[in-house]
Amino acid sequence: MSQKSLKKERGPAILILDFGSQYSELIARRIRETNVFSLVVSNCISIDEIADINPKGIILSGGPNSVYDQASPKCDVEIFNLGIPILGICYGMQLMVKELGGSVTPAIKKAEYGRAPINIDLESDLLCDVKDKSIMWMSHGDSINSLPQGFNKIAHTENTLHAAISNNSNKLFGVQFHPEVIHSEFGMQVIKNFVHSISNCAADWTTNTFLEETIPQIREQVGNKKVLLALSGGVDSSTLAFLLSKAIGENLTCMFIDQGFMRKGEPEFLMEFFDKKFHIKVEYINARERFIKKLKGIIDPEEKRKIIGREFIRVFEEESNRLGPFEYLAQGTLYPDVIESAGTNIDPKTGDRIAVKIKSHHNVGGLPKDLQFKLVEPLRKLFKDEVRKLGSALGLPDEIIKRHPFPGPGLAIRILGEVTDEKLNCLRDADWIVRDEIKKAGLYNDIWQAFAVLLPVKTVGVMGDKRTYAWPLVIRCVSSEDGMTADWSKIPFEILTRISNRIVNEVVQVNRVVYDITSKPPGTIEWE
Ligand code: XMP
């Protein structure tokens, strides 16, 4: 992105300094839920850089260290003299206390983890409308022993004397609990108090303002040059297609590469929806034969992924040359992709971690970084739920917005062992039945992913008077927040029965259905 267009980008109203907490991203999400724009930046950000951004409030995140560890992360102490309201959470509060002359010691009785009722000791702006004795989520070893001058204790718990502190005149606050986690009953109230009443942030981060700001930025960035977008039909690339079409119209070309591993009816739906209904130009590339040929005899899952990834890039390069030239490539990079590889090198201007590392297996089906295009990435500041809202506002149907995640290599990694046309057709039919029954039962939106997996062995069965020898099929339904951990879904037996009956009756090559009852960890969501 050019410096020119960067200058016009909205700066964060709340800056979150990251001290290595697993929750830094969650804090940013919670603040965005109050319609305030926030970004996570490195704890090493300089005072000049903060002054340049000029946020209305600063949050110091939690972190795994003890403030007295030699290598514990710090921030410039001048931050406390800027006159900008600051909220320290857990480690962030302990650091503030230590730097301002108070002291921190290991927890008096014991480390406190989990839910704890807080007792409010003193009225304050931070805990305004927080119910006394309500539950907050604690997770800490060290505790504050003595407060710096000007600070008051405003709440305590059974094990923590200083569960919340405030220095009202300097607008410095701290909490030992985690207001950002869902288990903190009035956590969101604490965040709202800090963001709205204490920091005076306007609630102006909305889908409408995003569109008003982003569309001119895209136009300014790409001018009248041609933009290419690899459309997959997922929520990110679909939202991007709608956004870019609104911004640059005919100068956008979408390319949909059909590897042959999509679910039943998906390629047809995609072309019908984008091309015919919304007149967004989509070049359909039928590459089914190329992909299946390359996978002949391949059994190893990693090799399968690599072959699919390589072939995708080859097809993409050939076809973009044929259709081009294009000056820009549009990518559906989201904010968590940008900040995913936790580290301290975050560009304070853009909020990007400098060494961006995306989980390697999720790159399959993506494009390499060294393609000869300039990038347009207008979603790079958004979380997934914000992209869904944007997509919805732009007119995408629930079918796309609420679609379960689907891996880039598609059904090829849900057929164990060699992928053949016969197995693909079989899995496609069975997968369709699983999703159809889950939708009919009204469970689709409560489940993170529901799908079928085909196993490359045959088992004996009996149908009518005939002995059968056919493939078993696995049904996998999981609940999850983010795909990193997951639990198997407790689907009612009647629905499992219906799915099983339909599959063995309607899909001839399958004579047995099993349900996967493994959580992640130790299992993964996909079988590969
Ligand atoms: P696992 O199987 O690692 O999957 O538990 C976690 C989540 O990631 C999805 N997944 C992928 N998504 N490209 C993607 O875009 C991929 O290659 C890929 N592989 C797995 C998986 O469906 C689950 O939601």
Side-chain angles (χ1 to χ4, degrees):
M1 203 175 279
S2 73
Q3 285 301 321
K4 201 169 143 212
S5 64
L6 261 182
K7 281 216 176 65
K8 290 183 72 182
E9 274 186 42
R10 172 190 284 261
I14 299 284
L15 210 54
I16 299 153
L17 266 59
D18 178 25
F19 291 92
S21 167
Q22 54 174 328
Y23 296 129
S24 297
E25 194 180 308
L26 186 59
I27 301 171
R29 265 174 57 198
R30 291 282 178 259
I31 294 170
R32 303 248 192 127
E33 281 169 26
T34 73
N35 296 120
V36 170
F37 185 49
S38 61
L39 286 179
V40 179
V41 296
S42 161
N43 64 299
C44 302
I45 186 169
S46 72
I47 286 298
D48 289 346
E49 286 166 324
I50 295 178
D52 198 32
I53 295 168
N54 195 20
K56 288 176 136 334
I58 294 174
I59 290 186
L60 310 179
S61 86
N65 298 73
S66 165
V67 283
Y68 290 111
D69 287 350
Q70 272 251 300
S72 64
K74 309 257 183 320
C75 61
D76 191 325
V77 285
E78 275 307 307
I79 198 170
F80 302 110
N81 298 324
L82 287 173
I84 299 174
I86 297 180
L87 171 64
I89 296 178
C90 209
Y91 177 87
M93 158 162 102
Q94 294 168 0
L95 182 70
M96 176 163 69
V97 165
K98 180 179 164 270
E99 298 290 18
L100 295 178
S103 66
V104 176
T105 53
I108 300 168
K109 289 187 195 160
K110 55 180 178 185
E112 190 172 21
Y113 297 102
R115 296 169 165 85
I118 59 155
N119 304 287
I120 297 179
D121 300 314
L122 202 65
E123 236 177 65
S124 67
D125 292 345
L126 189 68
L127 301 185
C128 180
D129 292 332
V130 172
K131 208 167 142 215
D132 192 27
K133 309 270 187 294
S134 63
I135 300 293
M136 293 293 185
W137 184 261
M138 310 289 281
S139 164
H140 67 108
D142 296 355
S143 280
I144 286 162
N145 190 27
S146 68
L147 289 177
Q149 235 184 2
F151 278 81
N152 287 308
K153 167 169 84 88
I154 53 175
H156 71 276
T157 68
E158 195 186 336
N159 284 318
T160 306
L161 185 60
H162 300 97
I165 60 171
S166 102
N167 175 337
N168 245 336
S169 43
N170 293 340
K171 296 204 173 211
L172 302 177
F173 303 88
V175 286
Q176 189 60 74
F177 53 84
H178 287 276
E180 69 277 17
V181 308
I182 201 111
H183 314 287
S184 289
E185 284 175 352
F186 283 79
M188 210 45 205
Q189 186 62 46
V190 175
I191 287 177
K192 279 184 194 157
N193 289 344
F194 180 71
V195 167
H196 293 302
S197 357
I198 296 170
S199 305
N200 281 319
C201 295
D204 61 358
W205 176 248
T206 61
T207 302
N208 274 346
T209 52
F210 178 84
L211 282 170
E212 278 163 23
E213 290 167 15
T214 308
I215 288 178
Q217 277 168 11
I218 296 171
R219 288 184 183 143
E220 187 190 312
Q221 188 193 352
V222 307
N224 56 10
K225 299 286 192 305
K226 302 258 180 244
V227 177
L228 177 63
L229 163 66
L231 185 67
S232 71
V235 63
D236 306 339
S237 66
S238 300
T239 302
L240 190 55
F242 266 51
L243 177 64
L244 288 171
S245 165
K246 212 173 158 81
I248 59 168
E250 288 287 296
N251 280 339
L252 170 71
T253 300
C254 298
M255 186 202 290
F256 166 53
I257 299 175
D258 184 358
Q259 313 154 314
F261 308 140
M262 299 286 278
R263 288 169 290 198
K264 191 170 175 164
E266 272 185 346
E268 296 79 5
F269 170 79
L270 208 99
M271 294 309 291
E272 181 67 34
F273 181 77
F274 284 92
D275 211 83
K276 299 234 166 60
K277 189 162 173 206
F278 282 93
H279 308 293
I280 295 175
K281 208 182 336 166
V282 182
E283 295 288 340
Y284 173 77
I285 314 294
N286 184 345
R288 294 179 181 191
E289 225 167 280
R290 281 180 72 153
F291 278 86
I292 196 97
K293 263 193 195 149
K294 288 272 181 234
L295 290 184
K296 198 166 165 35
I298 306 296
I299 289 168
D300 181 72
E302 268 306 300
E303 208 181 336
K304 250 194 237 176
R305 278 181 174 278
K306 279 194 192 124
I307 291 171
I308 296 170
R310 266 203 308 266
E311 197 58 17
F312 186 89
I313 291 162
R314 244 175 242 151
V315 176
F316 180 85
E317 282 176 336
E318 284 171 28
E319 295 297 329
S320 56
N321 283 335
R322 182 176 68 83
L323 298 166
F326 296 97
E327 181 125 354
Y328 285 91
L329 177 68
Q331 289 208 314
T333 314
L334 305 192
Y335 190 47
D337 301 331
V338 176
I339 60 170
E340 190 159 54
S341 57
T344 48
N345 296 330
I346 308 177
D347 184 326
K349 288 244 167 53
T350 62
D352 296 359
R353 303 246 189 217
I354 285 160
V356 174
K357 185 175 145 255
I358 297 171
K359 272 172 270 166
S360 64
H361 83 274
H362 287 190
N363 257 344
V364 174
L367 296 166
K369 294 276 168 253
D370 55 359
L371 286 173
Q372 299 305 307
F373 295 102
K374 293 180 194 157
L375 293 181
V376 199
E377 299 178 299
L379 308 181
R380 63 185 294 112
K381 292 282 179 348
L382 301 188
F383 286 110
K384 191 88 176 183
D385 43 339
E386 293 173 318
V387 174
R388 288 205 180 93
K389 269 195 217 155
L390 176 67
S392 216
L394 288 166
L396 285 170
D398 275 3
E399 199 163 348
I400 292 178
I401 300 288
K402 295 190 174 161
R403 204 178 87 140
H404 288 172
F406 188 59
L411 298 182
I413 61 163
R414 293 179 180 170
I415 291 173
L416 275 69
E418 188 184 11
V419 179
T420 64
D421 276 324
E422 192 192 11
K423 285 181 185 158
L424 275 169
N425 288 333
C426 169
L427 180 60
R428 226 174 247 128
D429 288 343
D431 178 77
W432 194 83
I433 294 170
V434 174
R435 288 182 302 121
D436 186 46
E437 288 298 332
I438 295 285
K439 278 182 193 164
K440 280 184 187 152
L443 296 174
Y444 188 81
N445 292 337
D446 300 331
I447 290 176
W448 172 263
Q449 270 170 293
F451 57 92
V453 177
L454 190 77
L455 301 185
V457 288
K458 288 196 171 178
T459 75
V460 173
V462 55
M463 264 195 127
D465 293 333
K466 263 188 20 214
R467 182 180 180 276
T468 57
Y469 191 50
W471 292 312
L473 193 108
V474 179
I475 304 171
R476 179 85 163 133
C477 298
V478 295
S479 57
S480 175
E481 284 279 316
D482 53 10
M484 304 297 281
T485 60
D487 197 6
W488 61 279
S489 303
K490 316 294 182 288
I491 306 280
F493 284 164
E494 317 87 79
I495 295 157
L496 288 174
T497 309
R498 212 172 304 139
I499 293 174
S500 161
N501 285 344
R502 277 193 65 189
I503 291 177
V504 287
N505 284 320
E506 294 174 32
V507 187
V508 279
Q509 304 95 322
V510 172
N511 65 352
R512 191 179 293 273
V513 176
V514 298
Y515 190 55
D516 184 351
I517 53 165
T518 322
S519 61
K520 171 184 180 177
T524 47
I525 295 177
E526 304 290 346
W527 274 52
E528 316 255 334

